Amino acid sequence: NLLTFWFNTLNFYFALTSEHVVNYWNKALERKENDPEGAITISRTLVESVLKHILDEKEISYSSSASLHDISKLVAKELKLSPEQHDIPIFKQILGGCSSIVNGLGNLRNTHGDAHGKGKIKHYRPSARHAELAVNLAGSMALFLIQTYQEN
């Protein structure tokens, strides 16, 4: 099935040095039904881990307090995935969408994940389908980033 293919691909590209990436994805998939907030948090962590792994492999420094948006921009520039690095409108559009997905995952985790405490104000609890969307977007982005890194 498709998930088995993705897991095998992640194992191949990251070998033993980044096995934790596959573990994050597995945790996210396991949590999406009973713990959608946790699945959303782990989805963002998956993308962040892939981005940081690429930066580390390329020996590109980044601040330990850098936002997901900041490290995503560094990787996009390095892998030539920034929309402004392309002239063809459809690629600019798709790559802009990819950037929006990564930023959206970061924001979704901040507002609806379980990484931050909640105050007295009632907050929206995401459903399993929202968590599944986040998990699948994170997995797709992680796979795309890994494949692009390997091709470069």
Side-chain angles (χ1 to χ4, degrees):
N1 77 25
L2 188 57
L3 286 178
T4 302
F5 169 76
W6 281 0
F7 292 142
N8 290 338
T9 302
L10 282 171
N11 276 324
F12 171 77
Y13 284 118
F14 272 103
L16 296 174
T17 60
S18 292
E19 217 170 85
H20 65 279
V21 173
V22 175
N23 291 335
Y24 283 131
W25 199 353
N26 279 325
K27 285 182 192 176
L29 288 170
E30 291 168 5
R31 288 188 183 179
K32 67 182 173 138
E33 292 294 328
N34 297 324
D35 183 13
E37 292 165 321
I40 286 168
T41 297
I42 293 172
S43 295
R44 189 244 194 228
T45 302
L46 169 62
V47 173
E48 181 179 19
S49 295
V50 169
L51 292 168
K52 287 182 174 181
H53 180 86
I54 291 170
L55 291 174
D56 292 344
E57 287 291 315
K58 293 280 203 175
E59 297 181 355
I60 297 171
S61 63
Y62 53 92
S63 167
S64 61
S65 63
S67 69
L68 186 65
H69 176 72
D70 293 338
I71 61 173
S72 176
K73 284 178 68 172
L74 288 172
V75 170
K77 182 179 176 188
E78 181 66 25
L79 298 181
K80 296 178 181 43
L81 295 175
S82 294
E84 59 272 3
Q85 293 173 305
H86 297 271
D87 296 327
I88 301 171
I90 191 65
F91 289 119
K92 291 174 90 73
Q93 180 183 14
I94 290 171
L95 292 171
C98 289
S99 175
S100 292
I101 286 170
V102 171
N103 292 331
L105 287 169
N107 292 333
L108 182 65
R109 190 284 313 236
N110 289 341
T111 57
H112 298 295
D114 63 0
H116 296 291
K118 309 292 186 231
K120 286 179 76 173
I121 300 173
K122 183 178 178 183
H123 85 284
Y124 174 78
R125 179 168 161 77
S127 70
R129 70 186 177 95
H130 296 118
E132 186 170 10
L133 177 63
V135 169
N136 289 328
L137 288 173
S140 293
M141 284 304 306
L143 182 60
F144 176 69
L145 289 166
I146 292 165
Q147 290 174 338
T148 302
Y149 169 71
Q150 290 294 321
E151 197 155 303
N152 287 339

